[in-house]
Amino acid sequence: MLATVDRSTTLVDLPSVRRRRARAAVAAPARAAAPATPTTPGTTADVLRIIANPRTPTYVTVFANGRRRYSYWRPIDPATGAGGCYAALPTAECDALYASGRITLGEPVVDPNRTTYRVRTAARVTAAPAARPAVAPERRRVA
């Protein structure tokens, strides 16, 4: 509800649009979601999934004081209408992925106060198959 303060320091209620909540949401109070911490299993996988998605360009901004901020473009979700903005990723998780070689940084774009890099997943290096010992083909006798 919108309110404003007039000169006599009393609140005046202004009309506002009321949104109806679903009956299930009214009956049961909403539970607070558990905060995502670096120890939460699956957080690293979620971060890597976001970085690997070509629809979500991901960047890291390194500021002049050394602070890093990983962010990505969140596309608009047609079902909810949410998105169309930049969202932050957990710095500790992204730093761990970078240290382990799972993500790489692109060419820098340098400004006076910050440097921005494009973040991409590292190309997977497949191990060359081990050399198989040469085996002579089996000979069959024709009777």
Side-chain angles (χ1 to χ4, degrees), residues 61-66 109-116:
T61 303
V62 182
F63 293 93
N65 62 1
V109 176
V110 181
D111 289 339
N113 294 324
R114 63 181 169 250
T115 304
T116 305

Side-chain angles (χ1 to χ4, degrees), residues 59-105:
Y59 301 95
V60 60
T61 303
V62 182
F63 293 93
N65 62 1
R67 185 177 70 106
R68 289 177 312 284
R69 194 63 173 149
Y70 293 85
S71 60
Y72 70 99
W73 179 256
R74 182 180 293 166
I76 294 177
D77 182 13
T80 61
C85 60
Y86 279 98
L89 290 171
T91 303
E93 295 293 326
C94 294
D95 285 342
L97 287 171
Y98 181 69
S100 67
R102 302 283 306 265
I103 60 176
T104 59
L105 303 181

Side-chain angles (χ1 to χ4, degrees), residues 36-52 89-90 92-98 100 102-103 121:
T37 60
T39 59
T40 304
T43 305
T44 303
D46 290 338
V47 169
L48 196 57
R49 180 183 49 79
I50 290 170
I51 293 171
L89 290 171
E93 295 293 326
C94 294
D95 285 342
L97 287 171
Y98 181 69
S100 67
R102 302 283 306 265
I103 60 176
T121 55

Side-chain angles (χ1 to χ4, degrees), residues 1-17:
M1 180 181 325
L2 298 175
T4 184
V5 179
D6 62 7
R7 295 187 191 270
S8 63
T9 66
T10 60
L11 291 176
V12 176
D13 292 332
L14 299 175
S16 64
V17 177

